[in-house]
Amino acid sequence: QVQLVESGGGLVQAGGSLRLSCSASGRAFRYYAMGWLRQAPGKEREFVAAIDFSGGSTSYADSLKGRFTISRDNAKNTVYLQMNTLKPEDTAIYYCAADRRWAGGSTRWGDGRGQGTQVTVSS
């Protein structure tokens, strides 16, 4: 498994932006599909976005298309989530995840998950 550490969360007003980062350990980062999941208080964890090994393919939750953008830099072992036009309902803990098999939004994320970073959007 790969070790993942998220950063970049915080408190932002509605309409604002944040960029989350997830740093991975090891030299095999480019062999992992990467994704972001989130869990809001009292709700189940849900898929946010995913990116394949090279960054050539991405997948997003339908409700987030157009506001969130996932990207990766394999030279830096880092995946990013740019979040724009944030809404109070985006408030959640955001988790980075990895898997050696790419299946878009159906990727299982069984090869590592970070501890999460809190994003709070005030109205």
Side-chain angles (χ1 to χ4, degrees):
Q1 289 197 346
V2 61
Q3 303 300 313
L4 303 170
V5 178
E6 302 94 337
S7 61
L11 174 64
V12 64
Q13 288 188 334
S17 298
L18 280 175
R19 188 176 81 154
L20 305 183
S21 299
C22 172
S23 296
S25 63
R27 294 178 290 180
F29 179 71
R30 64 186 183 277
Y31 297 123
Y32 289 93
M34 298 298 298
W36 290 94
L37 313 172
R38 70 183 184 184
Q39 187 165 16
K43 295 187 177 181
E44 293 186 354
R45 190 170 296 184
E46 64 176 353
F47 168 72
V48 174
I51 190 166
D52 75 348
F53 315 102
S54 66
S57 293
T58 57
S59 179
Y60 296 91
D62 288 341
S63 62
L64 302 176
K65 288 180 181 177
R67 294 196 299 123
F68 287 18
T69 303
I70 189 170
S71 61
R72 67 188 295 163
D73 185 338
N74 285 348
K76 295 183 178 180
N77 279 16
T78 302
V79 61
Y80 305 98
L81 184 68
Q82 177 67 43
M83 305 185 294
N84 298 327
T85 320
L86 283 162
K87 304 175 182 179
E89 51 264 43
D90 294 319
T91 295
I93 299 174
Y94 284 71
Y95 299 90
C96 178
D99 201 292
R100 283 191 175 265
R101 296 185 179 184
W102 167 248
S106 299
T107 303
R108 292 190 174 185
W109 310 118
D111 289 317
R113 294 188 185 181
Q115 294 299 305
T117 185
Q118 177 71 48
V119 172
T120 303
V121 184
S122 62
S123 58

